Amino acid sequence: MPETIEFPQHTSQQPQPPRRTILILIALIAAAFIGCRVALSMWIDLLWFQSLNYASVFWATLRLEWGIFAAFGVVTFAVLYGAYAALSRAHAADLPGTHTILIGGQPVSLPVAKVLHLLAIGIALVISLGTATAMKSQWPQFALYWHAPTVAGGVVDPILGKPLNFYLFTLPVWDALSGWLVTLAVICCIMSVLFLLIAGGGRALSGKLSTAVLLPWRGLSVAVGFLLLTIGFHAYIGRFELLFEHHTIFDGVSYTDAHVTLTGMLLVCVALVIGALVAIAGGLMRPRGSWLILAILPAIVCYAGVGIAGWYVTTFVVKPNQLDKERPYIAYNIALTRQAYGLDRFTQHEFPAETTVAAADPANNQSTLENIRLWDVQALQDTLRQVQEIRTYYDFPDIDIDRYKLNGTLREVM
């Protein structure tokens, strides 16, 4: 190793102004300003809640929001920093603690390991704060989940057999958690790819990159396995979200969804779980890039097969006789809609309708019959524009209809 000079170099120049102190002071002022704004907003909200005798609701909401913020922030930081620590240990042989460069003909030592460590802490902290803030905004969903009533024998959907409480209180939380896990898995994969590129570049520069020396694929294999597991969980939740799909005729599960998509998505979930186990096992036993291809391939094949099968069923089975095929699912949609609006509690009775003139009883309904509108609004508007309109001054944008008493009689007026 050549002799190195600690960075930054110490020269006989005049001492530089304390930039670190200035930056810290600016950061403290910004934090104090933001904190004062938040505190003032919270104080106003507290006064409003106290004026309504709901101060306990304010404090319960505040505890829930910041509890979610702290929990997701700590867990996110722990996962990201733990992934960095594990990857840095796995690639320790390829990551030098210092790196020497020549500046002005003199070797300068750069603390690579220290810089990477500080950079990892900073990035993990920023991502954790952003993720915690995003999850904190979804506190109503977590509150509904934790305080959801347990109702036995309630409404159950006819497709997947889940109660109504599941779709109202549990599914939104599952969806939020799956998105959070997928985000963590993607970040871990990006981190592992960066470490793999740095390791390969370091070996290439040192002349150690060859076919006999394998790259450390273990970190990437475990990260891909984690990603496949989270995608499988997200795909499993997506099966329940098919009940909210909007179609041209109705909302909910269609014939193709019931016969192809639901089963196909379950197969995709199984393929993703198997692929995750293959990736993790390959990373622990014999890390190679071919294990990753073998882990991802079954899920891709299953997903493509489900898409092709769904297209075939929709095109050649449903569309030629769509009304007959979709009839049961339209009936489900109508029945549950009636139940949601409470229309299923009404009884139907036949009402004999008479279509003759006598049914109007003109002798006893003269006031109503005299107020039946006979004029066409559009025709009156066109007439006014043609007869009375002076283009530079007047316009008749619309016609209003109302009723006024004229000579003691209620008459319609346009």
Side-chain angles (χ1 to χ4, degrees), residues 32-46 58 66:
F33 177 74
I34 296 174
C36 290
R37 287 178 59 91
V38 173
L40 181 61
S41 176
M42 292 173 58
W43 174 252
I44 294 174
D45 290 341
L46 176 59
F58 172 82
W66 290 103

Side-chain angles (χ1 to χ4, degrees), residues 141-152:
Q141 299 178 0
F142 290 91
L144 292 175
Y145 173 73
W146 284 324
H147 300 283
T150 55
V151 180

Side-chain angles (χ1 to χ4, degrees), residues 120-372:
I121 292 178
I123 294 176
L125 186 61
V126 170
I127 295 176
S128 301
L129 292 176
T131 304
T133 303
M135 299 302 292
K136 172 177 170 288
S137 64
Q138 303 185 34
W139 69 268
Q141 299 178 0
F142 290 91
L144 292 175
Y145 173 73
W146 284 324
H147 300 283
T150 55
V151 180
V155 180
V156 177
D157 79 89
I159 304 297
L160 297 175
K162 290 293 184 179
L164 186 61
N165 285 7
F166 173 80
Y167 296 99
L168 293 178
F169 307 121
T170 305
L171 185 60
V173 174
W174 282 16
D175 191 23
L177 290 177
S178 68
W180 172 65
L181 291 174
V182 170
T183 302
L184 288 182
V186 170
I187 295 174
C188 291
C189 286
I190 294 174
M191 195 185 307
S192 60
V193 169
L194 292 177
F195 270 95
L196 192 63
L197 293 176
I198 293 173
R203 292 189 181 187
L205 292 175
S206 61
K208 298 179 181 179
L209 187 63
S210 63
T211 57
V213 180
L214 298 176
L215 286 174
W217 291 92
R218 180 172 287 108
L220 182 59
S221 298
V222 175
V224 170
F226 178 46
L227 177 62
L228 293 178
L229 283 177
T230 56
I231 294 176
F233 179 55
H234 188 73
Y236 179 76
I237 294 174
R239 297 174 68 248
F240 302 101
E241 294 178 348
L242 288 176
L243 275 74
F244 302 95
E245 286 290 325
H246 175 71
H247 304 283
T248 305
I249 304 176
F250 62 99
D251 292 344
V253 174
S254 63
Y255 180 90
T256 304
D257 295 335
H259 291 80
V260 178
T261 309
L262 288 174
T263 305
M265 291 181 68
L266 193 59
L267 293 177
V268 171
C269 295
V270 174
L272 287 169
V273 173
I274 293 175
L277 296 178
V278 170
I280 295 174
L284 296 178
M285 293 187 301
R286 187 174 177 82
R288 284 183 179 271
S290 57
W291 284 93
L292 299 180
I293 299 176
L294 184 62
I296 299 173
L297 189 60
I300 296 177
V301 172
C302 289
Y303 186 80
V306 171
I308 294 172
W311 169 82
Y312 176 82
V313 171
T314 301
T315 305
F316 298 102
V317 177
V318 177
K319 286 187 176 180
N321 194 10
Q322 187 171 8
L323 182 60
D324 182 66
K325 295 296 183 181
E326 304 288 8
R327 188 183 302 275
Y329 309 101
I330 297 175
Y332 292 149
N333 186 265
I334 295 174
L336 291 177
T337 302
R338 288 174 54 84
Q339 193 171 4
Y341 285 98
L343 300 179
D344 59 326
R345 297 192 295 269
F346 290 87
T347 57
Q348 297 182 1
H349 298 281
E350 294 290 338
F351 182 78
E354 298 181 11
T355 58
T356 61
V357 179
D361 192 11
N364 297 321
N365 295 283
Q366 283 297 317
S367 59
T368 302
L369 295 175
E370 289 175 355
N371 279 278
I372 295 176

